[in-house]
Amino acid sequence: NNITDTGAVGFAKNLQGTNVHTVDLSGNYITDTGVMEFAKNLQGTNVHTVDLSDNYITDKRVLEFAKNLQGTNVHTVYLANV
């Protein structure tokens, strides 16, 4: 859907209070900036699985992304081809 960083962040903000279990945002032109804001907005959600494969996320941001998931319900993250 090519939602980019803006769409990923807006989507995450709207997950509060839902029962969404799996989020697949693979191939959506999400960059380092978007993935960091996305992670921050997962606090307090019921999301367990996130697929961010085939986006534009650097190794450094992947590590920071993982740190931002502490305290969330996320336990599976797919990051193929990033």
Side-chain angles (χ1 to χ4, degrees):
N1 294 327
N2 301 325
I3 65 171
T4 70
D5 293 339
T6 304
V9 174
F11 182 78
K13 287 180 179 178
N14 287 292
L15 290 171
Q16 297 292 324
T18 70
N19 289 316
V20 173
H21 180 274
T22 302
V23 175
D24 183 347
L25 294 177
S26 59
N28 274 291
Y29 299 95
I30 299 167
T31 68
D32 287 346
T33 303
V35 78
M36 296 308 297
E37 290 301 312
F38 179 77
K40 291 176 187 175
N41 284 288
L42 290 176
Q43 295 290 333
T45 70
N46 291 315
V47 175
H48 290 245
T49 305
V50 176
D51 187 347
L52 292 167
S53 301
D54 299 310
N55 282 294
Y56 300 96
I57 307 163
T58 63
D59 292 346
K60 180 180 178 181
R61 290 297 181 244
V62 166
L63 293 174
E64 289 180 38
F65 173 75
K67 289 178 185 175
N68 279 315
L69 292 178
Q70 292 178 357
T72 70
N73 290 320
V74 175
H75 61 77
T76 304
V77 177
Y78 297 102
L79 293 165
N81 301 318
V82 294

